Amino acid sequence: MRNLRNVHHSLLESPQGLQLTSSAWDVESNSVICAFGPDKDHPLLQLKRWNNSVSVADDEWKHIASWDAPCPIPDLECDEILDLHFFSDTSIACLVLAGGDIVVVREDPQSDEEKIEIVGSVDAGISAAAWSPDEELLAITTRASTFLYMTRDFENVTDVIFSDEDLKASKHVSVGWGKTETQFKGKRARALRDPTMPETVDQGTLNEFDRNDTTISWRGDGAYVAVNSIESDLRRVIRVYSREGTLDSASEPVDGLVGALSWRPAGNLLAGIQRLTDRIDVVFFERNGLRHGQFSLRLTEDDITGSAADISLEWNVDSSILAVCFKDRTQLWSMGNYHYYLKQEIYPLASTSRRKALSLVWHTEKPLRFILGSEEGIQRFEFNSVVCNGPTSPPDDYGILAVIDGKTLKVTSMRLANVPPPMSLHELSLSENAHDVTVNVVRESEPVAFIGVLHRESISLFEWALTAKPPTPPSLRWLKKLPLGGHMGFMHQQVAFKGEGELFVLANAVNGSFVRILEIKSGFMHEEIFFANERFQGLIAQQTKPASEPCLLLKAASVVSPSRSESNSNNLRVVQTLGSFVTSSPRVEAVRLQDPRLQLPQESSQERDRQSDGAVIFGLADTGLLFANERILARNCTSFLVTPAHLVFTTSQHLLKFVHIARVEELEVPPDTPELDERCRSIERGARLVTIMPSIFALVMQMPRGNLETIYPRALVLAGIRHSINVKRYRRAFLACRSQRVDMNILHDHDPSEFLANMRLFLDQVDKVEHIDLFLSQLREEDVSKSMYKETIGASLSGNDGTNTEPIALHNGQGISKVNSVCNAFLEVLHDQTPPRFQNVITAHVCKVPPDLEAGLLEIARIREEIPEEVDRIVEHICFLADVNRLYDNALGLYDLELTLLIAQQSQKDPREYLPFLQNLQSMMPLRRQYSIDNHLGRFEKALRHLHDLNEFDEVKNYVLKHVLYVEALELYRYQADHLAEIMRLYADHLHRSSKFRDAGIAYEYLQDHVAASESYRFAHLWKESLACAMFIPLPPPQLHSLAHTLADALVESKDYFSAATIHLDYLSDIPTAARLFCRGYFFADALRIIGLHQRLDLLEPVIDTGLVEGMSSMTELLADCKSQLQAQVPRIRDLRAKKADDPLAFFDGDIHGGADIPDNVSLAPTDASTARGGSLFTRYTNTRTGTTLGTSATRQTSKNRRREERKRARGKKGSVYEEEYLVNSVGRLAHRVNTISDDVRRLVVGLARRGMRERARAVEAAMRDLVRLCRTSIADVFPPTAEERPAGATRPEGAERPIGPAGSTGALGPAGLTGPMGLTGPVPDPVPERPKGADGVLWDSVHSVHAGSHEPERPLMKAFDLLSILGNVNTDGDVE
């Protein structure tokens, strides 16, 4: 689908009296080395250089060297240059002459070197020579039928003699089967013949036009070389030799094969010329010598015997173009989908008769740059491979493609017919070969496409009615001759439309460039602008929006536009300077920013001129650099297209990217994440852009093999949908969502307020009932405009400041979900529709969250009364939308038996089941029927109310007992005291049976049943309430004492010594026991109070003092245990965190190689042999399994493994990954325990001091003080400081846990000094991976319980412990807090 567009043409005539004989590229300086002479009259040979210059005025010859080269062979009239090669690295030119001499010319010789030196000579003479692509070997064939290899130092390394035996190198299969006269020629012989076998077999006969020459051609990698020569004056043979000089193959015989030969650099084909009686073919051979296809040259009979008498072939460096050189012209052919296209036909400087074909030399680095030499001079050309497509701005984006194929123009509109190449929708016959083509679409009453075709000396315009019925092909509107202008080397290069009225033609000559302006209507050339000494690369065809004037791309990488003046002078106005363009042939596209929000700032008139009113120039260099003005957007671009909304380009990583059109500094290129960003998607390897049609969201690409593929990129589709919504074209947006499988929630979520405000417009445009149902059925609560279809255009361009990031969940602040708000809005509009849309109304009810089935069924009941004939269809529709069993239950719950029957008939229910049931209900009284229905549906509360209305109290009691409806029954009988008491009694018994003793006791006490209430309170361990009810009975003293003893013993078991002592004191009058219990609970003040109150001073020493000593002993032991636990666990936690920071792999997965130096498991396959438990450190706990079989993965997630892992976690065994969690939790529990015993210690110290045990009190207080201080320091080490304790702007201390996730957010905390789900250093992707299942999930929970991000481990706060001043204990660091 690509054409060759001429972007550079320069020429230089041969010096006076000299004829150009050979030329070569100097790749380093992009200049040309030319050789002049010798001829039969003058043996002088001269070398000259043509430098690469921008200005025409700088074109001149630079002399290098000259010498006499007489021919040493008498058979030759004069010596001849067979090969001219220039070594750019050493500035040495090597000439191989037919007389046998090999000459080197040093442009800048050293003092000990000769400028011109004959480095070798072949006495027999040389017939052909060629350097290898790597410039290390020179292949030479001599006139004595020998083949030589010479190194760059001109040492002979191989010497091979051609012989007849070489033809046996390839074992070609003969299909002759004897002579023709012996063959059976029966009636059905043709039908029986193998179609794969040729009817005749070539013998290799020579053609009369054969020049008896020899040709050498290397393969692109230099591994093989092919030699085309005549063997024994009988036939031509192509021999293939390896780099070592070994014969690899010889070609099969081909009649009429001549000397032309060129090996495709890609290596798959060798091209040759076969001359037949009526045509000339380009034939192809494989390396093994077998034929592999051909194509015919498009020549007249005169051409076959005239200009085509001598033909040469040359492939370009990337194997994309085959140059066929004749005596009077050169043709450039390309291949796609096995069809060869004639892309360009180039003529020499003068049309004089020549004895040899034109000389063409391709550049070895630039694929489409070459020099074309003739005797009169040399021309330098450069082409671009471009796609000629029409406008890409809607609504003119018909995807019109024009492909040049010689005198045929293949035209296809991809919007009308997706025709694969080499076919086309229409083929236009041209008067002569086309050079360039341009397409424009003009909208008058109907869209009309104009196709301008540029020829060598004329231009034609075709007109195509795109919407004509029936379709018509393009027709020729006019054909106009273009004068050559009388300038040397005048050549028309490019053509482009200017708006809708003019056609611009760019031409180049030896003295400058021309711009010719023609009227589209008549073809009249009304103006020609001449630019002296300037050389332009081409016209910028603005496909996005026809500009008021086309731009010209200057070779100095700036864009200029011609401005007309009265003097017709060279007046230019610079639009945009592209200083970063370092290549001479970028492809350029201009786009104007039409949106006022995208306009560039207009500081001054000079700035406005420089920026051309907001124009952005995109350019693609040969090196893959994609530019926007002077900014580089990408360095690996392979093709690009521009629409009014997007820059679309492909990359060498086989990605397709979309960039929103904006000011240059705001252009945002998406990253290489096709799975995350709609602006990037993967494409087939080597795909290139052809055209884009935003109106139908289509993008056409061409694959390397030539076939076309049309895709609908999500970015293009969503951009079109959003635009349709913005302009309120809801039908177009809906159909796009439907055809492209886009979630239809975007119709609402893109602009919720506008959508709800234009609900009636939406219904009118979409109109179809089925389409509205489809939209309603796809509604869900998610805001797709902020999730799966997040807007990727910048906030400044979209007009959004980016602050509104809350998902759509509520509407109007009334707690109504998004789905319900849309459905309600639909219902409001649908109820006013005429005729009514019953089906849509039902769908709106059913699609609510949760489905409002009752409202839908009530709507059906209303339809049954108003339009009975519509009921069956509506019932069938609602049964399709919802579960028919739920509909049956809801219809039954409405007590509408007729509606229930309609629903049942649409279900799979057996009529023998539901008909008797419904008939039975029909026969009941209304209240009894409602009770039966609610009881059948499990709506027991409503059924209970119906029983209450029936005044069936006995039945109510049984129903309450059966379905546990005591609370509902109490509410129903709250004003009927007798029934209320019975229900309350049933409820109290139920609570007692259910072990809810406190509530049962309250219920019994409400009924004045103190015996049962006291018993229930006793079971609930409520000793105060139990003893109170016992006193209300009243209970006899023995039973009261027994109850008191029972309650006191239970309280002692639960260590509620204060309550137990109170019972002994108040109800049993046991002063000694009460005092002992007070002492056991460290309530020494209460014990002393009751001893003094009851004057039992005899109990001071045996009870009080003994209790103090025992309390001191147990408390001192407890404090010592706590201190030793902290001294052992806190250092162990420090060691574990240090090990984890040094080697997290060994810490979590274990040292699988016994301390050896092992590689990071990230680079290994996560197998059981290479990683612990079959997963790498990064994948084991992220639920990502790459390398485990389904069986092992399933086994690891079983509950058995999970329970085993939970037991390991609970034990916290030393050396396991759970040890740190266990120790941290243990320290936290110890701190809470110290806070709990703080009051007990304080009361113990006061009691000891009151009884004169000062030293013991001092010792206990000192132990508690030291333990509290140790707890404070341990907590600071083990737990990170809270947010309130950290100063503003402070970071976490080294060794503390750090959160993972994005900056500024809270996430899971990693271990000390580490980040990640397992404490690994480095950024953690957002979102955090999901929790794995099975045994891995236990470790996940363990790590996140110790290092949780949003739920940090609770840091214990130590209670203040006040010291008793009379004891004399003083803190060294101040008071204990």
Side-chain angles (χ1 to χ4, degrees):
M1 305 302 293
R2 293 181 173 270
N3 300 322
L4 294 181
R5 177 167 292 164
N6 189 340
V7 296
H8 174 83
H9 173 233
S10 57
L11 60 121
L12 194 61
E13 294 181 275
S14 299
Q16 184 69 30
L18 298 181
Q19 292 184 355
L20 180 68
T21 55
S22 187
S23 57
W25 280 102
D26 179 2
V27 178
E28 184 175 349
S29 62
N30 276 328
S31 58
V32 181
I33 307 298
C34 296
F36 299 91
D39 54 33
K40 61 182 180 179
D41 298 326
H42 301 88
L44 183 66
L45 196 156
Q46 297 187 36
L47 279 186
K48 295 182 181 293
R49 177 186 292 273
W50 179 19
N51 289 315
N52 183 25
S53 59
V54 176
S55 176
V56 176
D58 296 333
D59 287 341
E60 61 181 1
W61 294 110
K62 177 184 177 182
H63 182 76
I64 299 177
S66 62
W67 70 96
D68 288 334
C71 181
I73 299 178
D75 295 344
L76 298 177
E77 290 184 354
C78 63
D79 215 342
E80 180 183 359
I81 300 175
L82 298 179
D83 182 75
L84 170 61
H85 190 85
F86 189 81
F87 297 95
S88 299
D89 54 346
T90 58
S91 297
I92 294 177
C94 176
L95 294 87
V96 180
L97 303 180
D101 292 338
I102 302 175
V103 183
V104 295
V105 179
R106 299 177 179 89
E107 192 169 7
D108 298 313
Q110 301 295 327
S111 59
D112 57 344
E113 294 178 336
E114 296 290 339
K115 186 176 183 68
I116 303 171
E117 180 181 0
I118 300 177
V119 295
S121 181
V122 179
D123 295 337
I126 300 175
S127 58
W131 282 93
S132 63
D134 58 0
E135 299 181 335
E136 293 297 330
L137 282 180
L138 172 62
I140 297 175
T141 59
T142 68
R143 298 169 65 88
S145 297
T146 59
F147 181 61
L148 308 176
Y149 277 159
M150 299 184 72
T151 65
R152 189 163 176 176
D153 296 329
F154 302 102
E155 296 179 358
N156 190 8
V157 294
T158 301
D159 192 345
V160 179
I161 300 175
F162 294 154
S163 68
D164 294 340
E165 296 298 321
D166 296 343
L167 305 183
K168 302 178 182 179
S170 297
K171 303 298 183 181
H172 302 136
V173 179
S174 175
V175 294
W177 297 104
K179 297 181 180 180
T180 304
E181 56 268 18
T182 64
Q183 301 302 305
F184 172 69
K185 299 293 184 180
K187 183 177 180 180
R188 301 183 181 179
R190 184 175 297 275
L192 295 175
R193 188 179 65 83
D194 187 351
T196 63
M197 300 298 181
E199 294 184 2
T200 60
V201 178
D202 288 354
Q203 301 299 321
T205 57
L206 296 175
N207 189 271
E208 59 178 329
F209 288 95
D210 198 315
R211 299 177 59 248
N212 298 325
D213 55 344
T214 302
T215 309
I216 300 177
S217 181
W218 287 86
R219 199 170 76 171
D221 58 358
Y224 293 92
V225 63
V227 180
N228 184 353
S229 63
I230 297 178
E231 181 61 34
S232 303
D233 295 329
L234 297 176
R235 56 162 286 198
R236 274 202 173 268
V237 60
I238 300 175
R239 294 177 174 89
V240 176
Y241 289 91
S242 67
R243 193 178 180 90
E244 291 75 23
T246 304
L247 180 63
D248 183 73
S249 65
S251 65
E252 64 175 291
V254 176
D255 292 341
L257 186 66
V258 295
L261 178 68
S262 181
W263 200 328
R264 196 166 186 249
N268 58 337
L269 296 176
L270 293 94
I273 293 294
Q274 181 186 21
R275 301 184 67 94
L276 301 175
T277 57
D278 57 344
R279 70 179 189 276
I280 298 178
D281 291 345
V282 177
V283 294
F284 299 103
F285 296 86
E286 298 177 6
R287 198 192 79 190
N288 57 13
L290 295 177
R291 286 278 299 272
H292 188 92
Q294 71 281 325
F295 71 91
S296 297
L297 297 176
R298 300 165 190 175
L299 302 172
T300 65
E301 294 183 1
D302 295 337
D303 291 337
I304 293 177
T305 58
S307 61
D310 184 26
I311 302 176
S312 63
L313 301 174
E314 291 292 339
W315 284 101
N316 69 335
V317 67
D318 68 350
S319 305
S320 61
I321 302 296
L322 175 63
V324 182
C325 298
F326 304 96
K327 291 182 178 181
D328 62 344
R329 62 186 180 275
T330 296
Q331 294 181 347
L332 303 182
W333 295 77
S334 69
M335 192 269 287
N337 268 18
Y338 303 100
H339 176 79
Y340 281 84
Y341 299 84
L342 175 56
K343 292 300 182 182
Q344 287 286 341
E345 191 171 59
I346 305 170
Y347 289 83
L349 295 178
S351 57
T352 59
S353 60
R354 298 174 180 85
R355 62 183 183 88
K356 292 178 57 178
L358 299 176
S359 171
L360 184 141
V361 181
W362 289 102
H363 197 283
T364 57
E365 294 181 357
K366 305 294 184 180
L368 297 178
R369 181 180 296 178
F370 63 88
I371 50 178
L372 184 63
S374 62
E375 297 173 354
E376 299 80 13
I378 189 168
Q379 300 180 84
R380 183 158 40 193
F381 291 91
E382 185 164 1
F383 289 84
N384 260 356
S385 178
V386 298
V387 177
C388 178
N389 49 17
T392 58
S393 299
D396 298 332
D397 51 341
Y398 282 87
I400 300 175
L401 301 175
V403 181
I404 295 175
D405 188 10
K407 294 183 180 180
T408 301
L409 185 67
K410 299 176 180 290
V411 179
T412 301
S413 172
M414 303 303 293
R415 187 165 164 184
L416 302 179
N418 197 334
V419 181
M423 298 179 291
S424 61
L425 184 61
H426 300 291
E427 290 190 359
L428 309 183
S429 296
L430 307 176
S431 59
E432 52 182 317
N433 292 327
H435 284 192
D436 193 24
V437 61
T438 183
V439 179
N440 192 20
V441 176
V442 177
R443 284 192 171 268
E444 298 172 349
S445 58
E446 296 292 338
V448 177
F450 288 104
I451 305 172
V453 184
L454 180 65
H455 310 283
R456 184 189 179 199
E457 298 180 0
S458 61
I459 185 171
S460 55
L461 184 72
F462 291 84
E463 185 176 354
W464 185 12
L466 296 172
T467 58
K469 299 296 181 182
T472 58
S475 59
L476 179 64
R477 183 162 182 171
W478 47 257
L479 173 64
K480 296 294 182 180
K481 284 288 184 179
L482 294 176
L484 295 182
H487 299 274
M488 178 66 180
F490 192 94
M491 173 178 286
H492 294 104
Q493 287 183 279
Q494 297 181 21
V495 60
F497 282 100
K498 177 207 170 182
E500 300 180 357
E502 293 178 329
L503 200 62
F504 273 44
V505 177
L506 174 66
N508 264 334
V510 70
N511 56 345
S513 296
F514 296 81
V515 174
R516 293 177 165 181
I517 306 174
L518 291 82
E519 293 181 356
I520 292 180
K521 293 183 179 180
S522 62
F524 173 70
M525 186 177 72
H526 60 80
E527 187 169 358
E528 179 178 274
I529 305 176
F530 174 60
F531 303 95
N533 299 327
E534 294 290 350
R535 188 173 290 140
F536 295 111
Q537 288 181 288
L539 299 166
I540 301 178
Q542 301 187 37
Q543 302 296 340
T544 56
K545 190 74 175 178
S548 59
E549 54 187 17
C551 297
L552 298 176
L553 183 63
L554 197 64
K555 190 173 183 180
S558 62
V559 175
V560 298
S561 60
S563 60
R564 305 171 187 172
S565 61
E566 296 180 359
S567 60
N568 196 23
S569 63
N570 183 11
N571 187 9
L572 300 179
R573 176 171 60 88
V574 176
V575 176
Q576 183 69 45
T577 300
L578 304 178
S580 299
F581 276 95
V582 295
T583 180
S584 61
S585 59
R587 185 209 153 188
V588 176
E589 181 92 12
V591 62
R592 296 183 184 274
L593 304 181
Q594 301 296 327
D595 193 332
R597 292 173 297 178
L598 304 181
Q599 292 293 333
L600 296 173
Q602 308 293 324
E603 290 87 355
S604 63
S605 59
Q606 181 179 2
E607 180 70 14
R608 285 195 298 269
D609 291 340
R610 193 181 73 84
Q611 300 291 354
S612 182
D613 300 329
V616 180
I617 309 298
F618 296 102
L620 175 60
D622 295 336
T623 56
L625 295 178
L626 179 63
F627 298 93
N629 292 357
E630 297 182 359
R631 176 187 171 190
I632 298 178
L633 299 179
R635 298 183 180 273
N636 57 352
C637 180
T638 56
S639 62
F640 79 96
L641 289 172
V642 179
T643 73
H646 294 99
L647 164 68
V648 188
F649 66 94
T650 56
T651 69
S652 57
Q653 276 74 37
H654 322 301
L655 296 174
L656 174 67
K657 294 189 176 184
F658 288 78
V659 178
H660 294 288
I661 296 296
R663 291 179 293 184
V664 175
E665 63 274 11
E666 295 178 353
L667 292 173
E668 181 182 357
V669 179
D672 296 346
T673 54
E675 66 280 356
L676 300 177
D677 198 330
E678 71 180 32
R679 297 170 297 170
C680 180
R681 67 168 285 172
S682 300
I683 57 176
E684 185 176 335
R685 181 183 298 271
R688 298 291 185 270
L689 299 178
V690 174
T691 188
I692 186 170
M693 294 166 281
S695 296
I696 59 173
F697 325 118
L699 180 69
V700 182
M701 298 184 297
Q702 188 168 26
M703 303 303 112
R705 56 188 176 273
N707 62 304
L708 299 181
E709 287 191 8
T710 302
I711 63 173
Y712 298 86
R714 191 60 83 194
L716 204 59
V717 172
L718 293 177
I721 292 174
R722 294 185 184 114
H723 175 72
S724 298
I725 296 174
N726 292 335
V727 298
K728 298 181 177 59
R729 298 178 61 183
Y730 292 110
R731 176 178 175 78
R732 175 178 170 81
F734 173 85
L735 293 178
C737 292
R738 182 168 175 260
S739 61
Q740 301 300 328
R741 301 184 66 84
V742 175
D743 195 316
M744 293 189 181
N745 283 272
I746 194 175
L747 298 175
H748 169 272
D749 297 343
H750 179 68
D751 195 343
S753 58
E754 283 294 320
F755 180 83
L756 295 176
N758 293 277
M759 185 66 67
R760 190 177 300 278
L761 178 62
F762 177 86
L763 287 172
D764 293 340
Q765 289 185 3
V766 177
D767 191 44
K768 281 192 176 182
V769 175
E770 296 81 4
H771 290 173
I772 296 174
D773 284 348
L774 179 62
F775 170 75
L776 291 172
S777 63
Q778 292 195 4
L779 288 173
R780 65 178 191 274
E781 296 299 333
E782 179 187 0
D783 184 358
V784 298
S785 67
K786 293 181 175 60
S787 57
M788 62 194 314
Y789 302 139
K790 185 177 181 181
E791 177 63 85
T792 54
I793 194 170
S796 62
L797 302 179
S798 62
N800 182 13
D801 59 0
T803 58
N804 183 18
T805 59
E806 297 182 359
I808 299 176
L810 303 177
H811 175 57
N812 293 333
Q814 300 177 357
I816 303 176
S817 70
K818 161 194 154 181
V819 176
N820 291 350
S821 65
V822 175
C823 290
N824 291 336
F826 265 96
L827 290 171
E828 292 178 6
V829 178
L830 288 172
H831 283 305
D832 299 334
Q833 291 283 317
T834 303
R837 299 171 180 258
F838 296 120
Q839 182 172 318
N840 294 146
V841 172
I842 298 301
T843 304
H845 284 300
V846 176
C847 289
K848 289 184 179 181
V849 180
D852 194 355
L853 299 181
E854 290 191 1
L857 292 170
L858 290 174
E859 191 70 30
I860 293 177
R862 185 178 66 84
I863 297 172
R864 183 187 61 196
E865 300 297 333
E866 298 177 359
I867 314 175
E869 61 273 9
E870 293 286 334
V871 171
D872 292 339
R873 184 177 63 84
I874 299 301
V875 169
E876 182 179 356
H877 177 68
I878 196 173
C879 291
F880 169 77
L881 294 176
D883 182 12
V884 70
N885 294 318
R886 290 186 59 192
L887 288 171
Y888 176 83
D889 293 340
N890 278 271
L892 193 61
L894 295 175
Y895 314 119
D896 190 337
L897 299 183
E898 184 177 351
L899 181 60
T900 305
L901 180 61
L902 289 173
I903 299 297
Q905 290 173 348
Q906 295 294 330
S907 69
Q908 300 296 323
K909 294 180 178 294
D910 190 351
R912 292 176 295 181
E913 295 179 1
Y914 65 79
L915 284 178
F917 174 70
L918 296 178
Q919 290 172 353
N920 184 35
L921 292 176
Q922 184 68 30
S923 63
M924 297 179 183
M925 298 295 294
L927 283 177
R928 177 60 64 176
R929 183 191 306 134
Q930 294 173 7
Y931 159 74
S932 300
I933 290 174
D934 290 332
N935 182 62
H936 172 76
L937 297 176
R939 301 190 293 191
F940 303 121
E941 294 83 358
K942 294 184 69 175
L944 181 64
R945 286 196 291 271
H946 294 313
L947 283 179
H948 174 265
D949 295 339
L950 289 171
N951 293 324
E952 297 289 343
F953 185 69
D954 293 336
E955 196 172 351
V956 167
K957 289 194 297 182
N958 295 332
Y959 201 76
V960 168
L961 288 172
K962 181 178 180 180
H963 297 291
V964 194
L965 299 174
Y966 303 101
V967 176
E968 292 78 4
L970 290 174
E971 181 66 21
L972 290 173
Y973 290 101
R974 63 185 181 276
Y975 299 121
Q976 302 178 29
D978 51 346
H979 294 332
L980 181 63
E982 293 187 43
I983 299 298
M984 185 64 76
R985 171 66 65 176
L986 296 174
Y987 190 25
D989 295 341
H990 169 74
L991 292 173
H992 190 81
R993 290 192 301 270
S994 302
S995 299
K996 297 179 180 179
F997 300 112
R998 183 182 67 85
D999 294 342
I1002 295 173
Y1004 284 127
E1005 195 169 3
Y1006 173 83
L1007 296 172
Q1008 302 298 316
D1009 188 352
H1010 297 293
V1011 176
S1014 177
E1015 187 70 11
S1016 296
Y1017 286 137
R1018 181 175 69 83
F1019 286 127
H1021 303 290
L1022 300 175
W1023 64 273
K1024 295 179 182 178
E1025 291 81 353
S1026 179
L1027 289 174
C1029 289
M1031 299 298 293
F1032 292 153
I1033 297 176
L1035 205 64
Q1039 296 180 12
L1040 182 62
H1041 286 185
S1042 175
L1043 176 62
H1045 273 292
T1046 301
L1047 293 172
D1049 292 343
L1051 292 173
V1052 170
E1053 287 185 12
S1054 61
K1055 296 186 180 182
D1056 188 0
Y1057 299 110
F1058 191 91
S1059 298
T1062 303
I1063 293 176
H1064 279 281
L1065 180 65
D1066 294 344
Y1067 292 94
L1068 299 177
S1069 301
D1070 188 352
I1071 305 302
T1073 303
R1076 290 189 183 93
L1077 291 175
F1078 277 129
C1079 290
R1080 288 182 65 182
Y1082 298 97
F1083 298 101
F1084 298 103
D1086 293 280
L1088 291 172
R1089 181 185 65 81
I1090 64 172
I1091 287 176
L1093 178 65
H1094 295 281
Q1095 294 296 313
R1096 293 293 305 273
L1097 301 181
D1098 56 314
L1099 299 177
L1100 287 175
E1101 291 185 2
V1103 176
I1104 301 301
D1105 292 348
T1106 302
L1108 285 170
V1109 173
E1110 293 176 351
M1112 175 193 171
S1113 175
S1114 60
M1115 185 61 68
T1116 304
E1117 183 179 358
L1118 175 61
L1119 296 178
D1121 291 342
C1122 292
K1123 185 175 182 180
S1124 62
Q1125 179 180 342
L1126 285 175
Q1127 291 174 343
Q1129 291 180 342
V1130 173
R1132 177 61 180 169
I1133 292 175
R1134 294 195 191 102
D1135 293 342
L1136 290 174
R1137 289 180 173 173
K1139 292 179 180 179
K1140 181 163 47 179
D1142 294 340
D1143 191 358
L1145 177 65
F1147 181 84
F1148 285 104
D1149 269 355
D1151 194 346
I1152 61 178
H1153 288 279
D1157 187 13
I1158 60 173
D1160 192 345
N1161 277 6
V1162 174
S1163 61
L1164 302 178
T1167 63
D1168 291 337
S1170 63
T1171 58
R1173 301 185 64 189
S1176 74
L1177 182 58
F1178 291 97
T1179 61
R1180 177 181 173 190
Y1181 308 108
T1182 58
N1183 205 21
T1184 303
R1185 311 197 178 273
T1186 60
T1188 59
T1189 62
L1190 180 59
T1192 54
S1193 177
T1195 302
R1196 288 172 52 79
Q1197 296 179 5
T1198 58
S1199 59
K1200 180 179 179 180
N1201 286 345
R1202 178 179 52 79
R1203 288 193 297 269
R1204 184 189 302 118
E1205 203 74 14
E1206 287 174 348
R1207 289 193 296 270
K1208 291 181 181 179
R1209 179 184 179 187
R1211 288 195 299 266
K1213 183 179 177 180
K1214 185 175 181 179
S1216 68
V1217 293
Y1218 302 110
E1219 182 183 3
E1220 182 191 2
E1221 179 196 14
Y1222 179 83
L1223 294 177
V1224 170
N1225 293 337
S1226 178
V1227 171
R1229 290 192 298 269
L1230 187 144
H1232 287 297
R1233 187 175 184 185
V1234 171
N1235 284 334
T1236 302
I1237 66 175
S1238 177
D1239 294 336
D1240 294 343
V1241 174
R1242 188 178 294 106
R1243 292 196 298 269
L1244 175 62
V1245 170
V1246 172
L1248 289 171
R1250 289 179 63 182
R1251 293 298 298 160
M1253 304 178 187
R1254 184 176 182 276
E1255 293 302 324
R1256 294 183 176 181
R1258 181 184 176 89
V1260 173
E1261 187 180 62
M1264 184 64 182
R1265 177 199 61 193
D1266 295 341
L1267 179 60
V1268 171
R1269 183 186 300 120
L1270 182 60
C1271 287
R1272 287 172 59 93
T1273 57
S1274 299
I1275 289 173
D1277 288 343
V1278 173
F1279 297 91
T1282 61
E1284 293 78 7
E1285 294 173 341
R1286 286 194 296 268
T1291 59
R1292 291 175 178 265
E1294 185 65 27
E1297 295 77 1
R1298 301 185 181 96
I1300 67 172
S1305 65
T1306 57
L1309 285 173
L1314 307 168
T1315 62
M1318 295 304 302
L1320 301 178
T1321 304
V1324 176
D1326 185 25
V1328 178
E1330 297 180 359
R1331 178 190 182 276
K1333 298 179 181 178
D1336 289 344
V1338 178
L1339 183 56
W1340 174 279
D1341 294 338
S1342 171
V1343 173
H1344 286 72
S1345 65
V1346 181
H1347 314 286
S1350 57
H1351 305 284
E1352 291 188 356
E1354 182 181 356
R1355 187 183 188 190
L1357 298 177
M1358 298 305 299
K1359 294 174 60 176
F1361 182 75
D1362 298 330
L1363 300 179
L1364 202 59
S1365 59
I1366 65 172
L1367 300 180
N1369 282 326
V1370 179
N1371 281 331
T1372 58
D1373 55 351
D1375 294 338
V1376 178
E1377 296 180 1

